[in-house]
């Protein structure tokens, strides 16, 4: 049996990985909740944001944490524009078409990055990459603790936005009743685009938090989105608290499985949970019935 | 206040409205009557911008609004309370009402919320409850309340009595009378002929996408031949 210290350390590390998953899952679940589609371009968007943070650091000398705000804003605007001027018009109001358009977009984005950056694995050097906090029984990497803190704040802000602002209310309204929303004076295409922008912004934040300790290749984002998809199903499609709690839980599961089964088998637990949820409670922990 | 001339509208290859002329004056209650499938809902959808008119003009307070987006039409003060309520079932009663003032009436939001809770005490009791858990009658009140939150100059009520029990239908018409008593113009689109004619000053009868009868509500109510021919009474 392993010492409790080691298990506790694995749990803490899992929570920190989970917080990054949470940001990716929040974007995915938000877009699903409103547009009722899985955004297949989510992974490519994450990768693009990671390259943005990479370029900011290597070409402009901007630290990823300082780049967080401008990159997030940039991706919000890009996400807004892509939904408003590409996905929306190309889908002619059919949800199925949106799905295919995002799939097409992901191919375009990935190959554009492959053309620009090649398939090399790239990472950035930051002076604090290996700084850690000594808890006595384990060390926590500073960039991962920072990511955890920022991710929680972002999740809370997003929750506040949806609950307590007119734009947030409009997003929730459009999610369930498009015609009613339009008749209340809500500009539905605008709200769709805002939602898409928020989804892109949340992966942009994840990208900036990841870059100090992670690497980027033109397909780097996909691994995260695959896990995020499991989280969204576990938490309930469209549920914000479900995505946050599900992500932290999945992060811990992955970490503990890695501890007990070996690092390379860490993700087995995630997919076992995925299958179990689909079998036992397909609506997820916080999901509404269809 | 509302002047509709030669309005033609439809879906795909089907023309549903084939030239509608209609007007509503300030503070007036006007009824549009007709059976299912004569074009009442299409008329409302064209007036509120959900579909684009194919021909004709819709002037609201001296401005052409035909073909504008729904949000712009709401901004102008023409608010449509749709058939089937179309409330936001996943949101609280209060949030539903608040969204009624998303585009228009934002400065007066708190005062209007209070006014609507006074008008519909039931909604106050259920303010924090999800709107989808309300009964049909309560949902209709909520839909009307949400419409009033936008401080309409003209309110279109599309089948407000549909699916309600006879007692609630009475209540609903009494309520429409009370709202209109404050000087709000109402375009009441209904299948419920008898009560609509009692309430409205003027009425139009729609058949096959055309207005076949128009006039004072009391004259239409008093003409048995007319009622028999077009309204099945």
């Amino acid at each position: 049996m392993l010492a409790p210290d080691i298990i506790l350390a694995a749990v803490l590390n899992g929570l920190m990985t989970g917080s990054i998953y949470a940001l990716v899952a929040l974007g995915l679940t938000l877009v699903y909740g409103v547009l009722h589609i899985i955004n297949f371009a989510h992974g490519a968007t994450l990768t693009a944001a990671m390259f943005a943070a990479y370029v900011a650091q290597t070409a402009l000398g901007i630290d990823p944490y300082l780049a967080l705000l401008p990159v997030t804003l940039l991706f919000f605007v890009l996400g807004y524009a892509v939904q408003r001027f590409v996905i929306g018009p190309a889908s002619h109001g059919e949800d199925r078409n949106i799905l295919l358009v995002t799939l097409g977009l992901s191919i375009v984005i990935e190959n554009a990055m492959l053309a620009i950056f090649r398939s090399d694995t790239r990472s950035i050097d930051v002076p604090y990459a290996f700084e850690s906090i000594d808890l006595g029984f384990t060390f926590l990497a500073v960039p991962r603790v920072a990511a955890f803190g920022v991710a929680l704040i972002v999740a809370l802000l997003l929750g506040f936005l949806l609950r307590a602002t007119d734009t947030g209310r409009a997003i929730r309204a459009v999610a369930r009743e498009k015609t009613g929303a339009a008749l209340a004076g809500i500009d539905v295409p605008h709200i769709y685009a805002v939602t898409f922008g928020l989804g892109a912004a949340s992966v942009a934040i994840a990208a900036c938090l990841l870059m100090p300790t992670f690497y980027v290749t033109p397909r780097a984002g996909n691994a995260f989105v695959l896990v995020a998809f499991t989280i969204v199903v576990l938490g309930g499609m469209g549920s914000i608290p479900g995505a946050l709690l599900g992500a932290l839980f999945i992060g811990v599961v992955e970490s503990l499985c890695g501890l007990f089964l070996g690092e390379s088998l860490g993700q087995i637990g995630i997919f076992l949970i995925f299958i179990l949820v689909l079998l036992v409670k397909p609506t997820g922990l916080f999901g509404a019935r269809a | 206040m509302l002047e509709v001339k030669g309005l033609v509208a439809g879906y795909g290859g089907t023309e549903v409205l084939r030239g509608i002329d209609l007007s509503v004056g300030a503070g007036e209650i006007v009824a549009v009557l007709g059976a299912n499938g004569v074009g009442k809902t299409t008329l409302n959808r064209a007036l509120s911008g959900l579909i684009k008119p194919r021909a004709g003009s819709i002037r609201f307070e001296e401005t052409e609004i035909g073909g504008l987006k729904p949000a712009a039409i709401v901004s102008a003060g023409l608010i449509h309370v749709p058939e089937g309520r179309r409330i936001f079932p996943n949101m609280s009663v209060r949030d539903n009402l608040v969204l009624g003032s998303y585009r228009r009436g934002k400065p007066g939001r708190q005062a209007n919320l209070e006014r609507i809770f006074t008008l519909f005490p039931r909604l106050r009791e259920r303010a924090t409850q999800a709107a989808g858990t309300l009964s049909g009658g309560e949902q209709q009140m909520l839909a009307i309340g949400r419409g009033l939150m936008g401080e309409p100059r003209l309110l279109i009520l599309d089948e407000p009595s549909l699916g309600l029990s006879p007692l609630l239908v009475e209540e609903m018409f009494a309520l429409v009378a009370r709202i209109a008593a404050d000087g709000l113009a109402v375009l009441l689109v209904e299948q419920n002929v008898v009560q609509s004619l009692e309430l409205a000053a003027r009425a139009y009868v729609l058949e096959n996408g055309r207005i076949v009868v128009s006039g004072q509500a009391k004259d239409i109510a008093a003409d048995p031949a007319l009622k028999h021919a077009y309204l099945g009474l």
Side-chain angles (χ1 to χ4, degrees):
Chain A
M1 190 61 207
L2 289 162
D5 281 8
I6 297 175
I7 295 179
L8 186 60
V11 168
L12 288 176
N13 268 306
L15 286 175
M16 289 186 293
T17 312
S19 67
I20 296 286
Y21 289 156
L23 287 170
V24 182
L26 283 174
L28 201 62
T29 207
L30 188 64
V31 170
Y32 178 82
V34 176
L35 285 90
H36 311 292
I37 50 120
I38 293 296
N39 173 14
F40 277 120
H42 206 56
T45 311
L46 176 58
T47 315
M50 287 166 84
F51 273 120
Y54 170 82
V55 168
Q57 211 269 350
T58 51
L60 308 171
I62 304 170
D63 183 86
Y65 292 130
L66 293 178
L68 191 140
L69 204 58
V71 170
T72 304
L73 285 176
L74 172 71
F75 273 75
F76 176 82
V77 172
L78 287 177
Y80 184 98
V82 163
Q83 165 63 29
R84 187 94 205 219
F85 303 112
V86 181
I87 302 176
S91 65
H92 300 283
E94 290 273 337
D95 290 352
R96 269 175 319 210
N97 296 351
I98 304 181
L99 195 80
L100 292 175
V101 177
T102 64
L103 187 62
L105 267 176
S106 75
I107 295 169
V108 171
I109 296 171
E110 258 175 34
N111 285 287
M113 287 185 298
L114 195 59
I116 299 169
F117 296 102
R118 314 287 173 77
S119 59
D120 302 341
T121 300
R122 291 159 193 268
S123 57
I124 56 174
D125 287 319
V126 285
Y128 47 79
F130 296 104
E131 298 223 355
S132 58
I133 301 167
D134 187 355
L135 291 182
F137 61 93
T138 187
F139 292 93
L140 293 181
V142 166
R144 285 165 57 83
V145 174
F148 183 72
V150 173
L152 284 192
I153 292 169
V154 168
L156 289 177
L157 281 178
L158 193 60
F160 174 81
L161 174 93
L162 289 175
R163 292 266 135 220
T165 68
D166 268 14
T167 303
R169 288 189 192 99
I171 288 173
R172 288 190 290 140
V174 168
R176 281 297 289 277
E177 182 46 71
K178 252 195 281 188
T179 308
L183 291 176
I186 294 168
D187 181 348
V188 175
H190 168 72
I191 292 296
Y192 272 5
V194 167
T195 308
F196 218 82
L198 287 174
S202 65
V203 286
I205 296 170
C208 292
L209 296 175
L210 266 175
M211 275 321 280
T213 55
F214 210 72
Y215 59 88
V216 56
T217 70
R219 296 185 56 81
N222 291 336
F224 287 91
V225 174
L226 193 60
V227 176
F229 181 69
T230 311
I231 290 163
V232 169
V233 171
L234 168 68
M237 310 282 280
S239 162
I240 298 292
L244 179 61
L245 296 177
L248 297 178
F249 178 68
I250 288 288
V252 171
V253 166
E254 184 186 26
S255 176
L256 288 179
C257 284
L259 183 66
F260 288 111
L261 305 175
E263 200 64 56
S264 58
L265 291 176
Q267 294 209 328
I268 261 188
I270 299 177
F271 296 106
L272 282 178
I273 287 177
F274 184 63
I275 293 167
L276 269 180
V277 170
L278 287 181
L279 283 176
V280 179
K281 198 169 187 309
T283 53
L285 298 176
F286 294 84
R289 276 174 211 91
Chain B
M1 155 167 273
L2 180 71
E3 276 299 329
V4 178
K5 284 214 165 56
L7 178 64
V8 178
Y11 311 91
T14 344
E15 210 153 77
V16 181
L17 300 180
R18 307 157 188 212
I20 300 277
D21 296 315
L22 171 155
S23 72
V24 182
E28 204 181 17
I29 306 184
V30 174
V32 174
L33 306 171
N36 265 334
V38 298
K40 300 196 301 293
T41 296
T42 306
L43 172 64
N44 286 339
R45 291 171 65 86
L47 292 179
S48 55
L50 289 175
I51 55 172
K52 273 197 199 308
R54 296 196 175 155
S57 86
I58 305 170
R59 293 181 74 78
F60 180 63
E61 306 217 288
E62 314 303 322
T63 316
E64 178 65 39
I65 59 163
L68 292 185
K69 295 232 166 76
I73 292 173
V74 169
S75 290
L78 197 169
I79 295 181
H80 173 187
V81 177
E83 181 190 352
R85 294 120 198 184
R86 303 279 185 181
I87 54 159
F88 311 122
N90 51 330
M91 299 172 70
S92 71
V93 167
R94 182 186 296 272
D95 277 351
N96 266 269
L97 290 173
V98 164
L99 275 178
S101 55
Y102 176 86
R103 181 69 51 188
R104 189 182 148 88
K106 219 178 263 190
R109 179 177 284 178
Q110 280 313 315
N112 288 332
L113 206 52
E114 192 49 43
R115 191 166 68 93
I116 280 149
F117 281 149
T118 312
L119 194 63
F120 306 104
R122 205 89 65 83
L123 295 185
R124 190 198 298 274
E125 287 165 29
R126 307 193 189 289
T128 57
Q129 213 169 303
T133 65
L134 300 183
S135 72
E138 289 164 346
Q139 290 193 9
Q140 187 60 55
M141 290 176 195
L142 179 59
I144 294 176
R146 183 178 69 187
L148 292 174
M149 284 296 289
E151 300 178 354
R153 312 259 309 135
L154 169 67
L155 193 66
I156 301 179
L157 294 176
D158 194 349
E159 307 268 13
S161 74
L162 193 73
L164 300 185
S165 70
L167 202 67
L168 275 175
V169 171
E170 291 283 340
E171 220 176 282
M172 194 55 64
F173 277 97
L175 181 96
V176 174
R178 266 168 72 198
I179 296 168
D182 300 337
L184 174 65
V186 176
L187 185 67
L188 178 65
V189 179
E190 262 290 346
Q191 289 195 49
N192 201 320
V193 175
V194 178
Q195 267 146 326
S196 300
L197 288 176
E198 272 174 29
L199 183 64
R202 289 188 302 115
Y204 296 88
V205 178
L206 206 56
E207 195 173 82
N208 256 324
R210 289 201 173 83
I211 303 248
V212 286
V213 177
S214 66
Q216 298 296 312
K218 59 177 191 303
D219 298 342
I220 297 174
D223 188 338
L226 214 156
K227 286 202 320 194
H228 181 73
Y230 295 112
L231 300 168
L233 293 172

